[in-house]
Amino acid sequence: MKRIAIAIVICALAGFVSPVNAFSHNRERARAEVLKNSRGFYKDVFMDGGIAVTSRHFLPATRFMGMSMDYYASSLTKNLSAKDTLMQKNIFCGSEKDSNGWLLYPDGAPRFRLIYVNGGKAGTHARSLTEEGRENLRKYVAAGGSYIGTCAGAYLATAGTIRSTGKVRNADVYLGVWPGYAHPTRLSKSKTAMAIERKSPLWRYFDFGKDKQVLDVRHNGGCYAYDGAEKPLPKGTEVLSRYIFINTSKVKIDGEMSAWAYKDSEQSGRVVMCGSHPESIAQGERLEYMSAMMLYAMDGNPTPKIKGVLEPNVVREMNKRTEDNDPDFTRVGDRQYHHFAIDVPKRCKCAIISLEGYEGENRFDLTVCAKRGELAFHDNTLTKIVSRGCKKQLKIEKPKAGRWYVSVLCETTVTALVGKYGTRYTGRVGVLNGVPYKISVKYE
């Protein structure tokens, strides 16, 4: 023990970081690593405060973590109007200006890294989304967009509910992005405490203290993840936290899963569900708890896929629309990257990547980037060309032979304004249906 103590003192004197500070530094680095990966998305978070769920105008965790966010906040249920329904339909189902809605790019890729669904009435909200809207949400998660829901938002993600009697209610109007079942807690207008699971990934981002607990989390009719003979826990479900100190004569949920996560495949997003309400708190461990769940959900966004390999002297036309169901040849959306590969031959003097737009579509701004050995982004390579319009040519002198990656970034985006119903788009809204372009490569 003396040797250990002496070693710690020597390390401290030599300028090494203490174990406590090292853990803190690692958590800061883990948070930063997740947050920097927002490139290729329009924004980080979309908050659903639609019909029959809480119409929240502020999510403290987004401001705390420096995340960008758009949101929809419908009127109170008793004041709902046709405008509420129309706006929700335009966002989740699409419109003439944006044929597949806000959540998806023209090629079906997720436009936001994460959607957060508020608490409220899960069934009513699900039905108000319509089957088209619910299907777009499923497509969003399957394509790599992540999801977090609290209370009603957690119910919405499930395949249905199960009661203590064993009665199963398959909810066709729910999303089923987590194929398990939620059990109602029967606890309303109360508070819960959370024990962070020992192996919970939430520890990567924050230290929840010596007690490993988050106290006084609001609870109003929420749920827990059911794991029993009737409906076993789906394979791949991760326990994030469990309820503690909530046993009464009617409510016995001690040790039940209060927050859990699920990722269906490498290409899907991560789904995080929480039975209580930590989302409105602007300080302390409850804020960190919500932030950690959002970070872990976003950490589940997959690595982007390439559209294909560019063959020399062959023009690839990226002009399809959403309705064509041909994502490898579909237009690029606002702040979206399209990734391609090229194979540079030996003794190549110059690789020339050419980009041009279509007549009437040259008013949009596209950037071309290239990098050897890994996907090319605006911030990880100096081999790029940034200028107005679509027409440009990137020349790479004496490139090393081998696999290079080329990306096309659409710099043009909409103007987001905030009003009574949350975010609305103005300005360059034509970009929502995508920008067509032609790309080719030749070697000299």
Side-chain angles (χ1 to χ4, degrees):
M1 290 301 293
K2 286 183 178 180
R3 290 180 180 179
I4 295 173
I6 292 169
I8 291 172
V9 171
I10 291 172
C11 289
L13 292 173
F16 290 98
V17 179
S18 71
V20 174
N21 289 336
F23 282 125
S24 177
H25 177 71
N26 288 340
R27 290 186 174 105
E28 288 178 7
R29 188 167 55 188
R31 296 195 296 267
E33 189 68 26
V34 175
L35 293 169
K36 81 171 188 179
N37 289 329
S38 60
R39 55 195 183 184
F41 294 89
Y42 160 70
K43 284 187 180 177
D44 292 317
V45 180
F46 177 79
M47 181 168 64
D48 176 15
I51 295 170
V53 293
T54 301
S55 298
R56 192 179 308 281
H57 290 260
F58 174 56
L59 188 60
T62 58
R63 185 170 295 178
F64 175 57
M65 299 303 301
M67 299 174 185
S68 56
M69 185 180 81
D70 285 350
Y71 68 100
Y72 171 51
S74 68
S75 304
L76 295 173
T77 303
K78 62 182 179 181
N79 297 323
L80 285 174
S81 67
K83 187 172 183 179
D84 291 276
T85 301
L86 178 61
M87 288 192 66
Q88 183 168 283
K89 180 178 183 297
N90 289 346
I91 290 170
F92 289 97
C93 302
S95 63
E96 184 178 341
K97 292 181 179 179
D98 182 11
S99 61
N100 55 3
W102 289 17
L103 295 183
L104 299 171
Y105 277 127
D107 62 358
R111 188 163 170 262
F112 294 84
R113 294 189 71 185
L114 174 71
I115 180 172
Y116 165 62
V117 182
N118 275 285
K121 297 180 179 179
T124 304
H125 182 56
R127 284 185 284 274
S128 74
L129 290 170
T130 74
E131 179 53 32
E132 183 180 3
R134 295 191 296 272
E135 186 57 27
N136 276 346
L137 269 166
R138 296 182 189 110
K139 289 178 180 177
Y140 166 82
V141 173
S146 291
Y147 176 107
I148 180 170
T150 57
C151 197
Y155 278 112
L156 182 65
T158 71
T161 58
I162 187 168
R163 303 284 174 173
S164 299
T165 59
K167 183 179 180 181
V168 176
R169 179 175 175 268
N170 294 305
D172 294 336
V173 295
Y174 286 177
L175 302 177
V177 290
W178 176 62
Y181 287 75
H183 193 296
T185 61
R186 299 173 62 205
L187 183 71
S188 299
K189 297 180 180 179
S190 186
K191 290 183 179 180
T192 56
M194 311 294 186
I196 308 300
E197 193 80 346
R198 185 172 63 87
K199 294 184 179 181
S200 173
L202 302 187
W203 290 110
R204 296 177 193 172
Y205 313 111
F206 293 98
D207 176 6
F208 296 99
K210 292 182 179 179
D211 62 0
K212 301 179 182 180
Q213 299 172 7
V214 179
L215 306 178
D216 296 327
V217 183
R218 189 173 73 86
H219 191 93
N220 190 26
C223 57
Y224 60 83
Y226 179 79
D227 184 18
E230 292 85 354
K231 293 291 179 181
L233 200 66
K235 185 179 179 180
T237 302
E238 298 178 88
V239 184
L240 304 183
S241 64
R242 295 181 184 273
Y243 292 114
I244 51 177
F245 308 146
I246 312 295
N247 280 342
T248 68
S249 58
K250 292 184 178 180
V251 178
K252 297 185 182 299
I253 60 174
D254 231 14
E256 301 290 358
M257 285 171 268
S258 57
W260 61 102
Y262 176 79
K263 185 172 164 65
D264 183 59
S265 69
E266 287 187 9
Q267 286 305 312
S268 69
R270 178 172 286 125
V271 180
V272 173
M273 297 139 283
C274 177
S276 294
H277 287 280
E279 66 274 3
S280 63
I281 305 301
Q283 60 184 351
E285 287 186 346
R286 288 171 292 179
L287 172 62
E288 293 176 348
Y289 178 57
M290 181 67 183
S291 299
M293 289 190 289
M294 293 176 69
L295 287 166
Y296 188 55
M298 292 166 68
D299 198 27
N301 299 132
T303 301
K305 296 188 297 184
I306 66 168
K307 296 291 186 181
V309 179
L310 300 179
E311 300 296 335
N313 305 311
V314 176
V315 176
R316 187 183 183 103
E317 299 196 45
M318 302 295 294
N319 62 352
K320 299 290 186 180
R321 296 180 179 272
T322 299
E323 297 79 14
D324 296 320
N325 292 314
D326 194 359
D328 287 344
F329 294 89
T330 295
R331 303 167 174 225
V332 65
D334 56 336
R335 295 180 180 162
Q336 183 185 20
Y337 282 95
H338 279 179
H339 296 279
F340 304 92
I342 61 173
D343 292 313
V344 177
K346 294 180 179 179
R347 295 178 291 279
C348 176
K349 294 181 180 179
C350 185
I352 303 172
I353 301 159
S354 298
L355 192 73
E356 61 178 294
Y358 284 76
E359 185 176 353
E361 303 283 355
N362 284 308
R363 66 189 186 279
F364 299 105
D365 300 326
L366 303 182
T367 290
V368 182
C369 306
K371 190 172 178 66
R372 187 177 185 273
E374 62 179 287
L375 294 180
F377 294 94
H378 194 286
D379 63 351
N380 76 344
T381 181
L382 295 176
T383 309
K384 58 191 172 187
I385 183 166
V386 181
S387 59
R388 291 284 188 180
C390 296
K391 189 175 180 65
K392 53 204 64 179
Q393 200 173 71
L394 177 62
K395 295 183 178 181
I396 310 172
E397 302 288 347
K398 297 181 180 180
K400 288 185 178 181
R403 174 59 59 96
W404 283 65
Y405 293 92
V406 174
S407 67
V408 176
L409 166 64
C410 180
E411 303 271 12
T412 305
T413 188
V414 295
T415 300
L417 302 177
V418 175
K420 175 184 175 183
Y421 290 92
T423 309
R424 63 184 179 90
Y425 295 152
T426 63
R428 308 291 294 277
V429 293
V431 75
L432 294 172
N433 278 329
V435 178
Y437 62 92
K438 303 172 187 177
I439 188 169
S440 62
V441 63
K442 68 177 181 179
Y443 307 112
E444 295 180 347

